Amino acid sequence: MKLFRTIAILVAAITLTSACKQRGEVTEAEAQELATREKRLADRIAGFAVDTVGGPALARWVLPAELKEISGLAVTADGNLLAHNDEQGRVFVIDPKRGLVTKQFMVGGGDLRGDFEAIAVSGADIFMLVSNGTIYRFREGMDGEAVRYTTIDTKLGHECEFEGIAVDRGGVVLLPCKNVGRKALRDQLVIYRWELKRGASQRPSMLMIPHSQLIGPTGWKTLHPSDMAIDPATGNYVIIASLEKGLIEITPGGSVVRSGPLPEASEQAEGVAITKDGILAISDEGNRAPATITLYRWPLAPAAVSTGALSTTNPEDSR
Amino acid sequence: MPFFRRFIDLMSLGSERPILRLVAYYLGVGVIIIGLAYFYPESEKLLLGRGAATPAQTPLILEDGLTPAPAATTLSAGSLLELTVTTTLVLLGTMVLMLPVSWVYMSARHVPGHAQAVVQTLIILPLVVAGIVLIVRDSLSLAFSLAGVVAAVRFRTNLRDTRDVVFIFLSIAVGFAAGVQTLAVGAVLTIVFNFVLLLTWRYDYGRNVLTPTAASQWAGPLASLASQDDHDSVPDRDLVLTLSPKSADALADRFERVSDVLGKRGKKPRYTAVLSVQTNEVAEAQELVEKVLDDKAKRWKLDEVVTNTGKPSEVYYILRPRKSVTRDELLTAIRDIAGEKVEHVDLESRDAIEEEVGVSV
């Protein structure tokens, strides 16, 4: 009986102690660390600091286990990053300058699962892409909130496997194709343009650029885009390819601005985003090491560039 | 645990019925869970299965990959406390769920089916399973390691009763539910299991009405043992090999007592039937049944009263009905006079058994 009483008192003490710790509380020491990080990053951006170890990265944040399979990355209007893993409809909001997960919210009831591949932001709307071309549309939620969503079925899953999504300035959803189904298009980079205003019955137009123009002197045999972002300064499309470990930048018209390797050797770059103040964020899925988000100055230092002719078509024209 | 006993006594108004006591227990546990969820909202995760999938608290400071800070790289005191609380609550929850299962096992599995080792296993096994699942979680490599370790350890324990296997499966299921922090599933599973099991035990569900009675099962072998006919008799040498002097004496004593009851050799047996009565009010039912027996039986004798808790007690009489009284008349008379005081009444007669088994001694 005495033993039972002792155990009960211990459990009650632990429970109460734990309950007393307020959710969302940052200690003074942690606040100081966050301020130091912010200042360090500002110094690095300004070029005052030269203590960056191992390359051009401004900062690298090691992600928690829940984001080990980080898949998509996007920037919100207030400069935060949105990230998610590839299985759960759960979005993490990360302050990139301080390396702080500020909140997380769930899409649907919290148990939404799917092969989520990418995320993009347009105004107040957030778009999350499934590899079969289905898009989940929702708004940013509060910490711990389950937000409602609607789905857009592009019906493009049989033509293409998707891993990236971006929304351009005109509100057109851009879907770069990782693996093209149609043989005739396999030697080209294909980007579908899905216009939100036209509804589900539309047949999207496509931007097609031959691989030969994109690859140039890089030595890649082909190109498998794993994510895409819009440069807020120029409106250019920035695409990363995990398999080729490459980064390309093209104009909305299809001209190649930049084609070269990623800023640093990366194990599996799955997400890309660019902030208004010129920071390129690349998420790297964790395999042997933990997943990370790395920040670089944008635009990057000049790399190999190959310019090519534009090829824009509507699929109905190509039939 | 006198406190628990007093608490359950209070809640069940002192009833000894297992179902009432179970209801009282679950009500008490429900109140504790509501209180826990109110004062410690995080515990809801353990019940509803969000624990395994829920990431760490926000805001969460990420580790700096370029200039690592020691404080951020390791398990902090806060997360250690959270891990300790979570694990403790999971294991306590498992015990809370498995305790009534062990009580039901002990209630419904009387000797000779009862095995103390199984009762202890019911408490300990789910704790171990929950611990393993907590460690393995979503790690495929750990799962393979576990499979390797388990494959290396061989278990060869035979359970005497297939129903014990069901209890073991249940304890594994509860362990898994606790391990993946879905205690609500484990709770529903054990509650339904306990009540279904108690009800099947209470009403003897599944009993085959065509199953021979104990008396008819023994009629053949006993007649064979007693036979002096060379064809049917059991050879003495076999009895010599089978019995020890002590058991032979005990058997002789029992047969002597049976002989006294049956009457002298060469005469008709004094008692020819067994009346079994199931009732929740033993004293009242006995009084009423005995009135009928006074009237309808040439002679009768109370043989045994088996008192049960949670289901009707059993009263057995041996008797010799009057020649003019048929089985149906006797049973109808008892049902008429006893009414609802008697749950079930049956009469098993020697003549019917001999006819059924084809034995003549």
Side-chain angles (χ1 to χ4, degrees):
Chain A
M1 187 60 192
K2 276 184 182 175
L3 179 68
F4 171 71
R5 274 185 196 156
T6 313
I7 292 171
I9 290 166
L10 271 176
V11 170
I14 290 172
T15 307
L16 285 173
T17 312
S18 182
C20 286
K21 189 178 185 292
Q22 289 296 310
R23 198 167 189 271
E25 195 177 275
V26 176
T27 64
E28 198 176 326
E30 287 170 336
Q32 200 172 353
E33 163 68 13
L34 291 174
T36 309
R37 286 179 176 193
E38 202 166 2
K39 184 176 182 308
R40 190 188 301 140
L41 183 70
D43 288 348
R44 282 176 182 162
I45 291 172
F48 297 142
V50 288
D51 59 340
T52 304
V53 180
L58 299 171
R60 177 170 296 129
W61 308 124
V62 179
L63 299 173
E66 292 80 13
L67 278 172
K68 187 173 183 186
E69 294 185 38
I70 184 170
S71 197
L73 207 58
V75 182
T76 61
D78 53 4
N80 282 327
L81 293 177
L82 301 182
H84 63 89
N85 70 30
D86 69 352
E87 287 179 355
Q88 263 189 304
R90 183 183 293 272
V91 180
F92 293 73
V93 181
I94 300 169
D95 177 350
K97 293 179 181 170
R98 298 192 295 165
L100 181 73
V101 179
T102 55
K103 65 177 176 181
Q104 53 190 285
F105 58 92
M106 292 157 288
V107 182
D111 52 357
L112 182 68
R113 289 187 174 268
D115 186 17
F116 296 112
E117 293 292 354
I119 191 166
V121 177
S122 173
D125 288 324
I126 300 171
F127 300 87
M128 201 151 81
L129 175 76
V130 181
S131 57
N132 65 4
T134 303
I135 300 168
Y136 287 77
R137 183 178 188 169
F138 49 91
R139 296 283 176 96
E140 188 174 330
M142 309 284 283
D143 190 20
E145 187 186 351
V147 297
R148 291 182 180 181
Y149 63 86
T150 56
T151 55
I152 302 167
D153 185 3
T154 61
K155 296 187 175 65
L156 294 171
H158 63 284
E159 293 182 23
C160 182
E161 183 194 344
F162 297 101
E163 273 204 4
I165 187 172
V167 184
D168 72 10
R169 290 166 171 176
V172 176
V173 177
L174 303 165
L175 301 166
C177 201
K178 182 187 181 189
N179 291 309
V180 185
R182 287 160 65 179
K183 278 186 182 175
L185 301 177
R186 282 185 186 165
D187 58 347
Q188 302 189 61
L189 167 66
V190 178
I191 300 173
Y192 288 89
R193 288 173 160 151
W194 182 272
E195 293 185 39
L196 292 167
K197 293 172 190 170
R198 287 177 58 195
S201 58
Q202 68 182 282
R203 180 64 206 177
S205 62
M206 296 186 291
L207 172 66
M208 292 180 291
I209 305 165
H211 282 161
S212 55
Q213 293 174 17
L214 291 164
I215 289 169
T218 58
W220 307 329
K221 289 178 181 172
T222 179
L223 191 74
H224 299 88
S226 50
D227 199 14
M228 178 172 173
I230 307 290
D231 181 350
T234 62
N236 286 346
Y237 304 164
V238 177
I239 296 169
I240 57 165
S242 171
L243 284 173
E244 289 75 26
K245 301 189 190 305
L247 184 147
I248 60 171
E249 181 184 354
I250 56 177
T251 64
S255 301
V256 182
V257 178
R258 174 194 172 86
S259 174
L262 288 165
E264 282 183 302
S266 127
E267 202 166 346
Q268 196 174 339
E270 288 289 333
V272 63
I274 301 168
T275 65
K276 282 177 188 169
D277 49 358
I279 294 176
L280 172 75
I282 294 178
S283 64
D284 204 0
E285 188 175 310
N287 291 322
R288 283 164 291 187
T292 56
I293 291 176
T294 308
L295 309 182
Y296 305 93
R297 284 190 193 90
W298 181 259
L300 295 169
V305 174
S306 73
T307 53
L310 164 69
S311 168
T312 307
T313 68
N314 188 306
E316 269 115 29
D317 302 336
S318 63
R319 282 175 188 168
Chain B
M1 305 214 181
F3 170 74
F4 267 130
R5 184 175 290 278
R6 277 203 300 274
F7 175 73
I8 292 171
D9 281 346
L10 184 72
M11 292 292 292
S12 59
L13 302 174
S15 172
E16 286 296 322
R17 293 189 170 201
I19 289 184
L20 275 181
R21 294 184 76 80
L22 261 188
V23 170
Y25 176 83
Y26 284 125
L27 280 177
V29 169
V31 169
I32 292 170
I33 287 172
I34 290 168
L36 197 62
Y38 182 79
F39 289 110
Y40 180 45
E42 293 295 298
S43 61
E44 192 189 339
K45 293 175 189 170
L46 303 181
L47 282 170
L48 301 179
R50 294 184 201 148
T54 304
Q57 260 181 241
T58 46
L60 171 71
I61 298 176
L62 300 173
E63 183 187 338
D64 189 339
L66 296 180
T67 50
T73 55
T74 53
L75 197 64
S76 67
S79 61
L80 181 63
L81 178 70
E82 193 176 343
L83 186 67
T84 310
V85 170
T86 304
T87 311
T88 309
L89 287 178
V90 162
L91 296 182
L92 278 178
T94 311
M95 277 185 65
V96 166
L97 293 183
M98 287 312 292
L99 271 176
V101 176
S102 68
W103 297 338
V104 167
Y105 179 86
M106 288 186 282
S107 298
R109 308 278 289 112
H110 284 305
V111 284
H114 178 271
Q116 192 182 6
V118 175
V119 178
Q120 291 173 356
T121 304
L122 288 180
I123 302 292
I124 298 162
L125 180 64
L127 296 180
V128 176
V129 172
I132 290 172
V133 174
L134 276 173
I135 294 164
V136 172
R137 280 275 175 86
D138 299 330
S139 169
L140 197 63
S141 52
L142 276 178
F144 275 113
S145 309
L146 174 70
V149 171
V150 172
V153 183
R154 292 180 184 278
F155 299 99
R156 286 283 184 271
T157 302
N158 292 322
L159 292 168
R160 279 180 289 182
D161 194 319
T162 48
R163 282 172 295 185
D164 289 352
V165 179
V166 178
F167 278 91
I168 298 295
F169 277 143
L170 177 80
S171 65
I172 293 171
V174 171
F176 266 104
V180 298
Q181 299 177 16
T182 319
L183 277 171
V185 175
V188 173
L189 186 64
T190 50
I191 290 170
V192 172
F193 178 90
N194 282 337
F195 282 106
V196 168
L197 198 116
L198 274 182
L199 289 174
T200 54
W201 168 76
R202 162 71 177 73
Y203 294 106
D204 266 346
Y205 180 79
R207 180 181 173 186
N208 188 346
V209 291
L210 300 176
T211 303
T213 60
S216 63
Q217 281 177 318
W218 282 105
L222 287 174
S224 175
L225 190 64
S227 173
Q228 291 180 345
D229 184 348
D230 287 345
H231 298 295
D232 295 333
S233 66
V234 176
D236 287 351
R237 59 178 178 277
D238 286 352
L239 292 174
V240 166
L241 286 176
T242 308
L243 298 171
S244 64
K246 194 178 171 184
S247 57
D249 284 348
L251 208 53
D253 284 347
R254 286 191 72 175
F255 277 119
E256 201 171 329
R257 284 200 299 277
V258 171
S259 292
D260 287 346
V261 174
L262 283 175
K264 291 179 181 173
R265 188 177 175 182
K267 292 193 173 182
K268 286 183 180 175
R270 287 170 59 76
Y271 299 96
T272 58
V274 174
L275 179 73
S276 58
V277 179
Q278 290 183 3
T279 176
N280 284 314
E281 298 163 73
V282 176
E284 292 90 335
Q286 242 182 294
E287 193 181 330
L288 296 169
V289 169
E290 286 169 10
K291 268 186 194 170
V292 176
L293 291 180
D294 285 340
D295 183 37
K296 304 282 183 187
K298 192 174 178 182
R299 66 180 69 88
W300 60 267
K301 186 180 174 186
L302 176 65
D303 185 56
E304 190 182 11
V305 177
V306 180
T307 308
N308 292 321
T309 307
K311 70 176 188 177
S313 298
E314 295 152 49
V315 185
Y316 293 95
Y317 293 92
I318 51 174
L319 65 145
R320 183 182 184 89
R322 292 186 190 282
K323 276 184 184 173
S324 57
V325 176
T326 64
R327 178 179 184 272
D328 287 345
E329 277 174 354
L330 180 64
L331 295 179
T332 308
I334 292 172
R335 287 194 188 108
D336 283 348
I337 196 168
E340 291 182 355
K341 303 260 182 217
V342 164
E343 296 272 319
H344 182 73
V345 59
D346 197 14
L347 184 78
E348 196 176 7
S349 75
R350 181 189 183 93
D351 296 340
I353 290 170
E354 285 177 356
E355 197 175 308
E356 185 184 330
V357 183
V359 176
S360 58
V361 180

